[in-house]
């Protein structure tokens, strides 16, 4: 997350913090003397500097020795100030979760999701809108619970690393598999424990309102429910080394999986997909241990190993009810036209 914050600081937030909380001003001659030198090392800088010379009396101090953006050192809140980090990361996370949610869910909804499923008798009126509204309500509480993990990362407490040579390509490849295995196992048990009667009704049942979920239900949780299922992703980088750019890539992969992009694949007995999750919603029973089924995130191994797996079968396909309903409607129309 430090890389994301650095980029956003450089191209947007340095300026915003400088405008909102400016530091001590410097004389105009100081800016004039440094503008030419800075422009030779930072293409396009001269236009920025010249535009500010006219208001130099109110322009904050800038440390050109560590130039990343003209406003990097222009606020009383430095980049490593924890108050600034918390506020900036809250903003970045809140905007980012909206972006990932709408991009991934919309792509899945329009490119993969079978819209005939919306004719299922258990599909709620205005369900897509309700799923989106539920998600949007959860985003701010979810963001506030998540940001402390990101604060720990940018302040150097996680085990993210930058150079592949630190652990080698062998570990780099192994960490991909280990990340998926670790988070899949942890989320399986978080999800399964959320089906205990003591917590199911107030914590996890809101997500099971969607008996025929669309991709927009991927984040339609109680905020605490969504947070608990995300904890393994954050915990991993505090327990095990992981390349920081790989972590960003895996984070994107997770959002694709959450939006059920994988559908109708030939490895359905191994890889979890929408059909498994739909069965979980249709046949949910909050007793423990199951007959509730298919708690896994990516793979079916944990469900198989802990005896909670239910294989999608044609006889259980909710599309059968949709086709029967459509056939009955067509038959009624033909009878009416005769």
């Amino acid at each position: 997350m430090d890389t994301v914050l650095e980029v956003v600081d450089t191209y947007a937030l340095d300026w915003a913090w400088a405008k909102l909380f400016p530091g001590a001003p410097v004389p105009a001659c100081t800016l004039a003397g440094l503008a030419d030198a800075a422009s030779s090392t930072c293409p396009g800088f001269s236009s920025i500097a010249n535009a500010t010379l006219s208001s130099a009396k109110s322009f904050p101090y800038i440390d050109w020795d560590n130039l990343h953006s003209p406003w990097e050192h222009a606020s009383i809140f430095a980049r490593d100030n924890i108050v600034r980090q918390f506020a900036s990361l809250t903003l970045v996370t809140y905007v980012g979760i909206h972006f990932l949610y709408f991009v991934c869910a919309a792509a899945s909804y329009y490119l993969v999701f079978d819209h005939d499923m919306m004719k299922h008798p258990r599909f709620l009126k205005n369900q897509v809108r309700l799923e989106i509204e539920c998600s949007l309500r959860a985003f701010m509480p979810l963001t506030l619970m998540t940001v402390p993990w990101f604060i720990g990362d940018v302040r150097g407490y996680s085990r993210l690393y930058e150079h592949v040579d630190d652990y080698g390509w062998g570990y780099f490849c192994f960490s991909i598999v280990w990340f998926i295995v670790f988070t899949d196992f942890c989320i399986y048990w978080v999800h399964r424990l959320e089906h205990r009667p003591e917590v199911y009704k107030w914590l996890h049942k809101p997500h099971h309102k969607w008996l025929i979920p669309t991709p927009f239900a991927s984040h339609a949780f109680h905020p605490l429910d969504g947070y608990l299922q995300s904890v393994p992703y954050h915990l991993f980088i505090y327990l095990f080394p992981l390349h920081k750019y790989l972590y960003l890539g895996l984070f994107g992969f997770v959002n694709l999986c959450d939006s059920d992009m994988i559908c109708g694949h030939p490895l359905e007995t191994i890889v979890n997909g929408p059909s498994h999750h739909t069965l979980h919603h249709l046949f949910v029973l909050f007793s423990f241990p199951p007959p509730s089924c298919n708690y896994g995130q990516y793979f079916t191994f944990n469900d198989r190993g802990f005896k909670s797996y239910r294989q999608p079968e044609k006889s259980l396909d909710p599309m059968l009810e949709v086709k029967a309903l459509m056939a009955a409607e067509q038959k009624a129309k033909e009878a009416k036209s005769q």
Side-chain angles (χ1 to χ4, degrees), residues 93-247:
T93 304
Y94 189 64
V95 172
I97 195 173
H98 281 79
F99 175 79
L100 288 173
Y101 171 69
F102 282 110
V103 168
C104 295
S108 180
Y109 179 78
Y110 288 109
L111 301 177
V112 178
F113 180 69
D114 188 342
H115 286 221
D116 283 340
M117 289 294 292
M118 299 168 71
K119 300 175 183 178
H120 194 283
R122 294 189 181 185
F123 193 86
L124 303 178
K125 182 180 179 180
N126 299 321
Q127 180 173 314
V128 172
R129 177 175 62 81
L130 294 173
E131 289 173 339
I132 294 174
E133 290 176 350
C134 179
S135 300
L136 296 181
R137 286 194 301 270
F139 283 165
M140 181 50 75
L142 183 59
T143 294
L144 293 175
M145 288 185 281
T146 302
V147 164
W149 293 97
F150 294 152
I151 290 286
D153 172 34
V154 300
R155 298 187 74 84
Y157 294 105
S158 77
R159 302 192 66 184
L160 291 179
Y161 64 94
E162 184 172 0
H163 304 290
V164 175
D165 292 343
D166 290 347
Y167 292 89
W169 282 104
Y171 180 81
F172 181 92
C173 297
F174 167 77
S175 65
I176 299 174
V177 177
W178 180 226
F179 177 87
I180 295 173
V181 170
F182 176 86
T183 55
D184 194 38
F185 177 83
C186 293
I187 293 171
Y188 171 87
W189 279 106
V190 170
H191 191 183
R192 181 164 167 173
L193 289 171
E194 286 181 342
H195 279 257
R196 288 188 64 89
E198 301 94 315
V199 297
Y200 174 81
K201 187 173 183 179
W202 65 270
L203 180 62
H204 193 55
K205 189 177 181 180
H207 182 63
H208 279 275
K209 176 181 181 179
W210 328 112
L211 296 176
I212 305 294
T214 78
F216 288 104
S218 61
H219 290 69
F221 288 91
H222 185 291
L224 182 59
D225 182 4
Y227 170 73
L228 290 174
Q229 294 199 47
S230 74
V231 165
Y233 302 125
H234 307 301
L235 181 62
F236 184 91
I237 64 171
Y238 286 84
L239 297 178
F240 310 104
L242 187 67
H243 192 277
K244 65 180 184 180
Y245 298 120
L246 175 60
Y247 183 55

Side-chain angles (χ1 to χ4, degrees), residues 191 272 275-277 279-280 292-296 303 308-310:
H191 191 183
N272 252 320
S275 52
H276 296 89
H277 195 60
L279 287 183
H280 174 76
S292 296
C293 66
N294 299 348
Y295 300 96
D303 281 299
S308 58
Y309 180 70
R310 190 163 190 170

